[in-house]
């Protein structure tokens, strides 16, 4: 297991935004646009979080599961890997890799309990089969680095302990975007501290300068987070349903 992010496959497999924002041809044939693609991934990220709450696993498992899902879709289409099955299967695999094992039958039970839509329902066998497909799509690279590990020390050093809950919430929300596929996790954490500093009207300029982090990147990530909150307000259930419906179109 890699303990150094810079020597890890996570670092080596970081992507550019343009590489992440690619709709596969099979999905295009169903009429899925880039906006639909992002919307479905967001919807499934929320679904993973809701399912994780039911089976009582920690936030790190959610973050790893969402990262797996988002990575898979840089390599495979939603047509081939139905997100309604991929999402719980990613959670199942992430729980294992983060040593918080959840039984597949428990996931199946809560999926049936949470959803009225039959399309979300699956069997244990389907989750186990999808798990193998995920492993192959990820080239069996399962280690994911997150901002959480360094966050408490950074928050303390920045003198932002009174904003811990806010910053933690911001970090959690970054998994509703593709940031973890594009940026080193410590820069995502710093961007969340930067956003919190702005919201709390605390001048942390000197502290950030002492870190010698690339502030252009930190500020760009911070802007992406703020932009996400602005656009998130305009997402309606109808838009999500319309995007999901395209997955069911026969081609």
């Amino acid at each position: 297991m890699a303990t150094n992010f810079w020597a890890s496959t996570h670092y080596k497999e970081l992507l550019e935004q343009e590489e992440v924002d690619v709709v596969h041809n099979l999905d295009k044939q169903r009429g899925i646009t880039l906006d639909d693609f992002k919307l479905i991934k967001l919807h499934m990220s929320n679904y993973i979080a809701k399912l994780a709450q039911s089976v009582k696993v920690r936030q790190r498992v959610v973050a790893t599961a969402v990262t797996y899902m988002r990575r898979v879709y840089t390599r495979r289409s939603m047509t081939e890997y139905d997100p309604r099955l991929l999402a719980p299967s990613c959670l199942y695999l992430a729980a294992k890799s983060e040593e918080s094992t959840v039984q597949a039958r428990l996931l199946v039970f809560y999926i049936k309990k949470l959803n009225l839509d039959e399309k979300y329902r699956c069997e244990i066998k389907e989750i186990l089969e999808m798990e193998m497909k995920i492993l192959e799509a990820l080239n069996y690279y399962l280690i994911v680095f997150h901002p959480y590990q360094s966050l408490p020390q950074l928050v303390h050093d920045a003198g932002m302990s009174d904003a811990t809950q806010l910053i933690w919430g911001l970090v959690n929300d970054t998994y509703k975007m593709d940031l973890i596929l594009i940026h080193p996790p410590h820069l995502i954490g710093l961007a969340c501290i930067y956003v919190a500093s702005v919201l709390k009207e605390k001048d942390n300029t000197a502290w950030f300068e002492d870190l010698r982090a690339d502030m252009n990147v930190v500020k760009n990530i911070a802007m992406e987070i703020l932009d996400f909150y602005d656009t998130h307000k305009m997402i309606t259930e109808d838009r999500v349903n319309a995007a999901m419906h395209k997955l069911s179109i026969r081609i």
Side-chain angles (χ1 to χ4, degrees):
M1 177 176 174
T3 54
N4 178 1
F5 170 74
W6 304 107
S8 71
T9 52
H10 184 158
Y11 170 64
K12 292 170 186 173
E13 295 195 356
L14 287 179
L15 301 168
E16 297 295 327
Q17 186 73 55
E18 296 76 20
E19 296 174 289
V20 174
D21 289 342
V22 175
V23 180
H24 296 271
N25 286 330
L26 284 173
D27 295 339
K28 284 180 182 176
Q29 289 171 30
R30 291 177 183 267
I32 292 172
T33 64
L34 181 57
D35 283 343
D36 293 329
F37 185 49
K38 291 180 177 180
L39 205 55
I40 292 168
K41 288 191 289 183
L42 171 60
H43 177 58
M44 285 300 143
S45 299
N46 291 334
Y47 177 50
I48 287 172
K50 188 186 291 186
L51 198 51
Q53 199 171 25
S54 296
V55 297
K56 296 180 170 56
V57 291
R58 57 207 168 100
Q59 177 60 31
R60 188 183 176 94
V61 177
V62 176
T64 297
V66 171
T67 304
Y68 288 170
M69 179 196 69
R70 290 177 178 276
R71 275 186 186 167
V72 167
Y73 285 135
T74 64
R75 300 163 185 183
R76 303 287 191 272
S77 71
M78 290 181 172
T79 300
E80 297 171 291
Y81 287 58
D82 190 319
R84 289 163 291 210
L85 176 58
L86 182 72
S89 302
C90 284
L91 182 60
Y92 176 69
L93 180 58
K96 281 186 185 178
S97 64
E98 295 291 352
E99 300 178 350
S100 300
T101 307
V102 171
Q103 293 182 344
R105 64 179 178 81
L106 194 62
L107 279 172
V108 168
F109 170 77
Y110 278 109
I111 289 166
K112 289 176 180 175
K113 195 172 178 181
L114 282 175
N115 293 286
L116 298 173
D117 188 340
E118 290 286 333
K119 292 186 178 69
Y120 284 83
R121 299 196 174 195
C122 58
E123 301 302 327
I124 294 170
K125 181 184 176 185
E126 292 176 300
I127 288 178
L128 299 181
E129 287 174 351
M130 182 56 80
E131 178 191 21
M132 298 310 297
K133 290 181 180 179
I134 295 166
L135 285 166
E136 188 179 337
L138 297 177
N139 295 322
Y140 298 88
Y141 297 145
L142 301 180
I143 304 303
V144 180
F145 286 78
H146 298 290
Y148 300 117
Q149 190 172 356
S150 59
L151 200 60
Q153 189 62 52
L154 289 171
V155 169
H156 178 268
D157 291 348
M160 295 290 291
S161 295
D162 61 328
T164 298
Q165 192 172 352
L166 169 61
I167 294 166
W168 206 269
L170 288 166
V171 171
N172 291 346
D173 283 347
T174 63
Y175 290 90
K176 297 177 181 180
M177 297 165 264
D178 290 307
L179 294 173
I180 196 67
L181 304 185
I182 299 166
H183 300 288
H186 74 282
L187 292 181
I188 297 173
L190 287 175
C192 292
I193 292 173
Y194 182 82
V195 171
S197 299
V198 172
L199 294 176
K200 292 282 187 179
E201 298 182 348
K202 181 176 174 65
D203 185 1
N204 270 327
T205 306
W207 180 75
F208 278 109
E209 285 176 354
D210 286 344
L211 288 177
R212 295 183 181 176
D214 188 333
M215 284 308 296
N216 286 330
V217 175
V218 170
K219 287 177 181 178
N220 285 340
I221 297 171
M223 285 305 299
E224 279 194 63
I225 294 169
L226 293 172
D227 286 346
F228 168 79
Y229 286 126
D230 282 341
T231 56
H232 192 263
K233 296 171 189 172
M234 295 181 280
I235 295 173
T236 63
E237 192 174 339
D238 287 344
R239 280 183 62 196
V240 173
N241 290 340
M244 293 299 296
H245 177 69
K246 292 180 182 180
L247 288 172
S248 306
I249 295 171
R250 293 184 180 275
I251 55 173

